[in-house]
Amino acid sequence: MGCRISIDGQIGKGDAETLRAVFEEIGYPTEYTPVGRRICLNSAGGSLLEGLAMADLIAEWNYGTAVPDGASCESACSIVFLAGRFNNPEAGGAFSVDRVMHPRARVGFHAPSLLLGERSYSRQEVDKAYAIALDSMAGILRHRAESLTSIPDSLFLDLLGTPPFEMTYVETVGQAARWQIAVVPVALPSGGVPEALSHACWHADSGLLDYSLTEYGSPSVLEFSFEELTDEALRASSSREFRYEGSAQCELGIFASGGFNDYSAVNYVGVAQYTGGATDQDVSGTVYAYMLYPPEQRIDTLPILRPGEDLRASGFFRAARGAPGGDAPTGGLTSCRLTQTNAQVINVNEFVNLRAAPGLRAPIVGQLRLAERVQVPDIGLLLPVRGAPRGPTCVSICDGLSRSPSDVGLKDSAEGCIAENMLWYQVISSSGVTGYVSRYFLTD
């Protein structure tokens, strides 16, 4: 599940200070992927006030959360779980939700109890217990406001409406997507490509806007045209019959590996972007493999991606070639250089920094958001990172790949150079700011 820390058992007094000590010993996470900087949880709950203090710390230190195979996270633990987040070092402080659960895990919510035993109580004792319960709910609202933790209104209302002796569990794909809880590791479906891509569009949208996909019947199946289709990646655009007035468009990028990260099994596998119609702006959200399944499907029935398996093994990308519109250009990386002057930002959860010169240590002059379109004045001018001896070598590798695009060794080396941020482009942002960004964060 990509965890570095584990929390097991009842949550009690002093646990928040113990967690703070662990954070101070390990230090602030700087990885470019949430994998490896998560906290695995397995707890039936305990002290809500202590759980809130732990949630505050997780938000402060920007750690993700996970509930692994066979584990449960209930009651106070679920509040700790919701605090999970990830901030890319290039995001300039911006963060995104990072809370994941295994398909065979259990995450449950309920309202705080009054903590009254089996005896008669005075009015004063009942009032005091009631005040403590209300204060607990106020603590959740405070955490949501001050730490900016994404607790959708629908989830908070379900939590508040579930008696202390009951539990509301995350059980369906639609619930998980709406509440921005990722389910991993899940294999891609083996077929039904238009339906799967439609599910991804609708699920990402329901998470952004917090609405139910099944309240008014099943969401429509969209028609897609493919801009790119390889053994491990696709880019597709829907017909303009999406969202409010049915005049918006959903653009999807789905990657099995190498496109967004090399840890796709327990990370997101793509991005959905919405343009036109009543959106009045470009809006984007991340896509996990489970989101390609119907909203009513139970998460404990999702196919699990086993260790050593590849997302490509599902045959999803092969099935896409047989889908209507599945005749897009095929093939893997044949050149480090972009082929169009109009490029798109990828490989970040929210933002990437625009630099004054090639290199991650250069001054920041702006930010580029996920899926933003930028102009590349000279696609032939691929610049090495400033001051890195390996930079010029990477440029030479890319020149060799352009001459011999079928050379597997050169392809692997070039992909390594791109992933290591050795190659940079000068770009102009949509707001007109000129700067430099790593090739790793750009695609045609």
Side-chain angles (χ1 to χ4, degrees):
M1 300 299 285
C3 294
R4 187 170 184 179
I5 302 168
S6 292
I7 297 176
D8 292 276
Q10 195 83 355
I11 295 174
K13 187 175 181 180
D15 284 345
E17 284 306 309
T18 301
L19 182 60
R20 182 188 297 275
V22 172
F23 283 162
E24 290 176 349
E25 179 181 352
I26 293 177
Y28 195 85
T30 58
E31 292 85 353
Y32 280 81
T33 169
V35 179
R37 51 185 280 183
R38 289 178 179 147
I39 302 171
C40 273
L41 302 169
N42 185 23
S43 170
S47 168
L48 178 57
L49 294 180
E50 197 73 16
L52 282 168
M54 296 169 75
D56 288 342
L57 285 170
I58 290 171
E60 176 185 349
W61 286 79
N62 282 300
Y63 275 81
T65 53
V67 186
D69 186 8
S72 294
C73 180
E74 302 171 337
S75 190
C77 176
S78 65
I79 304 303
V80 178
F81 172 71
L82 290 176
R85 62 186 61 195
F86 168 73
N87 73 314
N88 190 298
E90 284 296 290
F95 64 86
S96 58
V97 172
D98 182 52
R99 47 201 189 206
V100 301
M101 63 179 291
H102 193 277
R104 308 301 184 259
R106 288 168 67 83
V107 175
F109 307 87
H110 64 61
S113 67
L114 291 179
L115 300 176
L116 294 175
E118 294 294 331
R119 66 174 178 84
S120 298
Y121 291 88
S122 66
R123 174 66 179 270
Q124 184 178 6
E125 289 175 317
V126 173
D127 286 346
K128 181 179 179 180
Y130 184 61
I132 292 174
L134 289 180
D135 187 57
S136 298
M137 299 308 300
I140 298 174
L141 289 172
R142 175 203 54 76
H143 172 75
R144 183 169 78 161
E146 295 180 0
S147 298
L148 303 179
T149 291
S150 179
I151 304 178
D153 289 345
S154 61
L155 175 55
F156 186 78
L157 290 173
D158 274 7
L159 182 157
L160 190 62
T162 303
F165 49 84
E166 296 180 8
M167 197 75 68
T168 292
Y169 288 102
V170 184
E171 296 179 318
T172 68
V173 170
Q175 282 178 311
R178 181 179 183 181
W179 294 339
Q180 297 181 324
I181 297 172
V183 183
V184 299
V186 173
L188 295 173
S190 58
V193 174
E195 292 83 0
L197 296 180
S198 299
H199 293 323
C201 288
W202 288 111
H203 283 313
D205 194 49
S206 72
L208 291 170
L209 299 181
D210 187 17
Y211 67 89
S212 171
L213 289 179
T214 56
E215 185 175 354
Y216 302 106
S218 300
S220 61
V221 176
L222 307 171
E223 294 182 3
F224 288 89
S225 58
F226 294 85
E227 301 169 14
E228 176 188 358
L229 188 50
T230 72
D231 290 338
E232 57 184 34
L234 69 78
R235 297 182 188 278
S237 299
S238 78
S239 52
R240 289 193 174 274
E241 52 186 12
F242 184 68
R243 264 194 164 194
Y244 306 101
E245 289 95 348
S247 58
Q249 185 176 43
C250 174
E251 299 176 2
L252 281 173
I254 306 293
F255 302 88
S257 64
F260 276 79
N261 53 74
D262 292 326
Y263 311 95
S264 308
V266 289
N267 204 348
Y268 65 100
V269 299
V271 61
Q273 181 184 18
Y274 313 113
T275 58
T279 59
D280 198 33
Q281 60 181 344
D282 290 352
V283 181
S284 60
T286 51
V287 174
Y288 286 80
Y290 84 98
M291 295 166 69
L292 277 72
Y293 291 87
E296 66 276 6
Q297 182 163 345
R298 290 183 58 89
I299 60 175
D300 59 9
T301 66
L302 292 169
I304 297 174
L305 197 69
R306 303 295 180 182
E309 290 182 343
D310 195 301
L311 283 171
R312 290 167 290 191
S314 66
F316 179 74
F317 297 101
R318 292 193 301 273
R321 290 181 179 172
D327 53 356
T330 61
L333 178 71
T334 57
S335 174
C336 299
R337 292 172 174 80
L338 298 170
T339 60
Q340 301 178 33
T341 58
N342 183 21
Q344 188 176 33
V345 176
I346 61 169
N347 283 341
V348 292
N349 283 54
E350 293 291 339
F351 298 95
V352 62
N353 289 322
L354 192 61
R355 302 282 178 172
L360 297 176
R361 296 184 179 180
I364 299 171
V365 296
Q367 289 182 331
L368 303 174
R369 55 188 172 79
L370 176 65
E372 179 177 342
R373 289 287 180 180
V374 298
Q375 294 298 313
V376 184
D378 187 351
I379 59 175
L381 186 60
L382 194 58
L383 301 170
V385 64
R386 176 175 291 183
R390 181 164 153 74
T393 301
C394 283
V395 174
S396 297
I397 289 172
C398 289
D399 289 340
L401 181 62
S402 296
R403 293 189 295 268
S404 305
S406 60
D407 189 313
V408 177
L410 285 175
K411 174 184 175 181
D412 291 343
S413 297
E415 289 178 339
C417 288
I418 292 173
E420 294 167 24
N421 298 301
M422 287 290 139
L423 303 167
W424 291 65
Y425 267 118
Q426 184 185 51
V427 303
I428 304 172
S429 72
S430 58
S431 60
V433 179
T434 299
Y436 295 84
V437 66
S438 169
R439 169 67 174 86
Y440 176 71
F441 301 113
L442 295 173
T443 189
D444 292 312

